[in-house]
Amino acid sequence: MQRRTFTAGVAATLAAPLVRAQGSNLPTGPIRIIVGFAPGGGTDILSRVIGQKLGEMWKTQIIVENRAGASGTIAADLVAKSPGDGTVLHMAHINSHAIVPGLQKLNYDAEKDFQPITLVGVTPNLLICNEQQPAKTVKDLVELCKKNPGKISFGSAGNGSAQHLALEMFMLQAGVKAIHVPYKGSGPMLTDLIGGQIQYSFDTMTAATPHVKSGKAIPLAQTRQARVKGYPNVPTMAESGFPGFEATTWYGLVGPGRMPVAMAKRMNEDVNKVLRMPDVMEKLEASGAEDGGGSTEKFAQFMKTEQAKWAKVIKDAGVKAEI
């Protein structure tokens, strides 16, 4: 018995370097990128752009799999429980990895159960209204809300969404009250905004841009500290009297928490290469996604900062999760 135990121990010791060496390599089989939203949205579009390029680089099939629902947390939970062999990745999103963890208890830990790989991009929201609204500047909107407390309507893609929290941040900083009208996604919300059923919204640049270009939605401001290239003439909220106001949507590639750090860093190198490709940069710019790339450590710190930031907004605004 002692001999067998010793032999097994030696075998495990000899095998350990092999396991670590394999862990630093890329997976050889097909890879799935799990997306927490329906096809056609910003998360899905960016996942397919990145996935196609990585598939070519790694000479393997990369499949984008949509597991929509519960603000992206269904997909995140699936990935958290997946093997760490690199065959299952996740396009993390501000909802599933920063906002919802501050709203309710989840079946995963947004920090411990994931291995950060690379931040793909940060996109501003646009504060928009329909053509019929009298207030078409942030200053005028604040005055309108003060004159009509609790009567001006703002739509969002859902309770607890990035757009909803942008509204809560606005109300806190402006000292005003408005009506929050949650929808099941940006699509139906934008339909009602254009039709006049609701008045204003903080919506993702990706979803709002087609309607802005058609003239049916009017942009009042964008919600990053600096103007993005796609909207050089639209002021930021900071420029409109709200210093420090930043409410974005962001995307980043992560693996399960059990993924070897060496593998994540290897993937990080290639994702950074993809993000610097001219055709990819063009597509990212079109969706307003900027500031992607950097180290795994930088992305981990970014997510930690976002979690703390939105937890404070949720607490200060008294936002409750839908049951």
Side-chain angles (χ1 to χ4, degrees):
M1 179 65 71
Q2 288 178 341
R3 180 179 177 82
R4 285 197 298 271
T5 303
F6 175 77
T7 303
V10 171
T13 302
L14 292 172
L18 178 60
V19 171
R20 284 196 293 270
Q22 289 174 338
S24 65
N25 294 330
L26 294 169
T28 56
I31 297 171
R32 293 185 295 156
I33 298 179
I34 311 299
V35 173
F37 303 92
T43 317
D44 178 73
I45 291 169
L46 293 181
S47 298
R48 293 180 190 279
V49 170
I50 302 300
Q52 179 186 345
K53 295 294 186 180
L54 289 177
E56 293 170 0
M57 292 176 69
W58 296 343
K59 295 180 171 53
T60 190
Q61 183 181 18
I62 295 185
I63 303 161
V64 174
E65 184 176 316
N66 301 87
R67 294 292 186 97
S71 296
T73 59
I74 292 173
D77 185 51
L78 185 156
V79 175
K81 294 175 172 58
S82 296
D85 59 3
T87 60
V88 179
L89 305 177
H90 178 45
M91 189 59 78
H93 185 274
I94 183 175
N95 287 358
S96 58
H97 282 70
I99 292 177
V100 181
L103 277 171
Q104 63 189 69
K105 184 175 177 57
L106 297 167
N107 293 325
Y108 62 85
D109 187 303
E111 187 174 349
K112 296 178 182 178
D113 290 338
F114 299 91
Q115 170 58 55
I117 298 173
T118 316
L119 177 65
V120 169
V122 182
T123 305
N125 291 302
L126 287 178
L127 173 54
I128 55 176
C129 68
N130 57 52
E131 298 173 283
Q132 292 76 38
Q133 298 313 308
K136 292 186 174 67
T137 67
V138 176
K139 180 181 178 182
D140 289 345
L141 176 58
V142 172
E143 291 180 2
L144 182 67
C145 290
K146 287 183 175 180
K147 290 178 180 178
N148 301 276
K151 295 181 180 180
I152 306 302
S153 59
F154 285 73
S156 83
N159 189 68
S161 65
Q163 299 94 317
H164 173 201
L165 269 292
L167 167 61
E168 296 290 348
M169 182 181 282
F170 167 71
M171 290 193 292
L172 283 170
Q173 292 194 17
V176 299
K177 290 292 182 182
I179 302 171
H180 172 228
V181 185
Y183 287 78
K184 292 183 178 180
S186 289
M189 184 278 296
L190 285 165
T191 298
D192 276 7
L193 180 124
I194 292 166
Q197 283 75 33
I198 56 173
Q199 296 163 285
Y200 293 86
S201 175
F202 287 90
D203 201 25
T204 63
M205 184 171 287
T206 305
T209 292
H211 303 286
V212 171
K213 287 185 175 179
S214 72
K216 295 179 180 178
I218 310 299
L220 284 67
Q222 51 185 302
T223 62
R224 289 207 72 184
Q225 288 292 304
R227 301 184 188 190
V228 296
K229 294 177 182 177
Y231 282 83
N233 299 319
V234 176
T236 65
M237 289 293 292
E239 293 171 325
S240 304
F242 289 79
F245 191 106
E246 188 163 47
T248 64
T249 297
W250 52 260
Y251 318 87
L253 207 60
V254 302
R258 55 182 64 88
M259 171 187 280
V261 174
M263 179 181 283
K265 288 184 178 293
R266 173 69 178 82
M267 289 184 171
N268 171 274
E269 292 175 6
D270 287 341
V271 177
N272 274 290
K273 291 176 184 176
V274 167
L275 293 174
R276 291 193 294 267
M277 293 178 179
D279 58 332
V280 174
M281 292 176 67
E282 184 178 344
K283 290 175 181 177
L284 290 172
E285 184 178 316
S287 67
E290 297 182 351
D291 298 334
S295 67
T296 57
E297 293 84 1
K298 178 183 175 182
F299 185 26
Q301 184 57 50
F302 174 84
M303 287 194 286
K304 191 172 183 178
T305 300
E306 282 285 289
Q307 289 162 11
K309 168 185 173 178
W310 291 112
K312 185 178 187 306
V313 173
I314 289 165
K315 180 181 179 181
D316 291 349
V319 180
K320 303 295 182 184
E322 287 185 334
I323 305 299

